[in-house]
Amino acid sequence: MSTPSPPLAGIRVVELAGLAPGPFAGLLLADYGASVLRVDRPSADNSVPTSDQLTRHKTSVTIDLRDTASHRVLLDILSKADVLIDPFRPGVLERLGLSPSEVLLKHNPRLIVARMTGFRRDGKYKDMAGHDINYIAVSGVLSMLGRSGEAPYAPANIIGDFAGGGAMCFLGILLALISRLGTGRGQVVEANMVDGSAYLAAMLRLNLRTPLWNAPRGQNPLDGGSPYYDTYETKDPGKYFAVGALEPQFYAALLKGLGFKAEDLPSRNDRTNWPVLQAAFTKRFREKTRAEWEAIFDGTDACATPVLEQGELERGGYEQRPAVHLVDTSGLPIQADDGGWTGGGLIPGTGGEETLNTWLGWKRGREFEVRDDGALRRADDKAKAKL
């Protein structure tokens, strides 16, 4: 029996090279079978691999977006594409003469233009530069993260760039593809990391007036305030155990594994007892190595697990898998040769000519030429230049 095609097989995506969120949206599409063609910028040395690590399953061409003559190449490619990922700040495509509504959708009415920004397009920060930490700051999410008595703490750039940005943009693209099944028309998808991050925090926001999240930062059950939802250092310096024993039966299993009887400790239901419990757990976890605690808690319902580090996962042969497994039509293998631990290495132009041949039937020297800096131009433009 033949293997079913991935769910996005046949979908053609043009990804304008950008920072993390845009490439991540393209990566999600590529991992589930879409043909993703990355558009890189011209460079004095086009043999240098891109610094972007999120290039798995993608191909590349180089196009000079600042050269209006190159727009014809891009528009020809977009005439056969389903999706364009625009990672630029508001107004950049318009200034380049590539307005989605005035140019791109008129050129290809079925095209989905996915535009991703950090700040809202209509907010007070719309014309300002920013990064993940700024977007989650003005979304209200950053104010809820961090230990009690300490400054808010951003968890790398996972919330804004990837979850609130790239993943939300991916969702918008899928919704637009579904909508096109009924209307036959593409549309502009607008995603921004402020709204995306705020949406991810919906449960927290809706619980601000409930006991789950009505205390200051770092003093709630899920933000490090609770002694039974926290991390503890073991006898191995720098090696930690994570505890998430929220429910009473799980908490009982935790106490059993730690060697406590219920009567040994004050009630966890009184928040004033939390510092006492945290001190007791801290002391007890430091009495054994992480491996010893694993031997105690593995297979139990104590919700206690080791905090595994990336290096040891790689050394142990942990294999990254697609985020969602579809039983009949799942995604492509993730770097089967190395388990998903390396990325990048995509030299601009890699595989792009094959993609252009598949999409458009183009061949170098017939429909297009390649400039010294790697940028594509139509072959007849070169002929016109000689006249």
Side-chain angles (χ1 to χ4, degrees), residues 34 47 55 113 231 249 311:
S47 65
T55 57
V113 183
T231 57
Q249 68 273 25

Side-chain angles (χ1 to χ4, degrees), residues 241-245 254 285 293-294 296-306:
F241 232 73
V243 170
L254 173 68
F285 268 107
W293 286 121
E294 285 187 71
I296 290 171
F297 286 115
D298 279 0
T300 74
D301 282 344
C303 300
T305 56

Side-chain angles (χ1 to χ4, degrees), residues 77-215:
I77 295 173
L78 290 177
S79 69
K80 299 297 183 180
D82 298 287
V83 179
L84 171 68
I85 297 177
D86 165 24
F88 302 137
R89 289 171 65 175
V92 170
L93 282 187
E94 285 80 358
R95 289 195 295 274
L96 290 171
L98 296 169
S99 165
S101 58
E102 297 300 319
V103 177
L104 301 183
L105 287 176
K106 289 183 177 179
H107 182 74
N108 178 2
R110 289 179 55 82
L111 183 67
I112 293 163
V113 183
R115 314 193 76 181
M116 185 159 37
T117 59
F119 296 116
R120 288 177 167 179
R121 288 182 174 272
D122 58 351
K124 63 178 290 188
Y125 307 104
K126 63 183 178 65
D127 295 323
M128 293 171 53
H131 281 295
D132 178 291
I133 194 170
N134 307 114
Y135 310 139
I136 66 174
V138 302
S139 75
V141 175
L142 183 57
S143 70
M144 309 172 83
L145 306 176
R147 293 289 187 178
S148 176
E150 298 180 3
Y153 187 82
N157 61 336
I158 296 172
I159 293 179
D161 281 348
F162 294 103
M168 287 293 183
C169 186
F170 173 66
L171 172 62
I173 290 168
L174 296 183
L175 293 173
L177 286 170
I178 293 172
S179 175
R180 195 179 69 175
L181 293 175
T183 66
R185 299 190 303 275
Q187 60 182 298
V188 175
V189 172
E190 292 188 349
N192 72 79
M193 286 165 249
V194 172
D195 288 329
S197 301
Y199 200 91
L200 291 169
M203 187 275 286
L204 308 186
R205 177 179 292 104
L206 297 174
N207 278 283
L208 286 175
R209 294 176 179 83
T210 74
L212 184 65
W213 216 279
N214 62 358

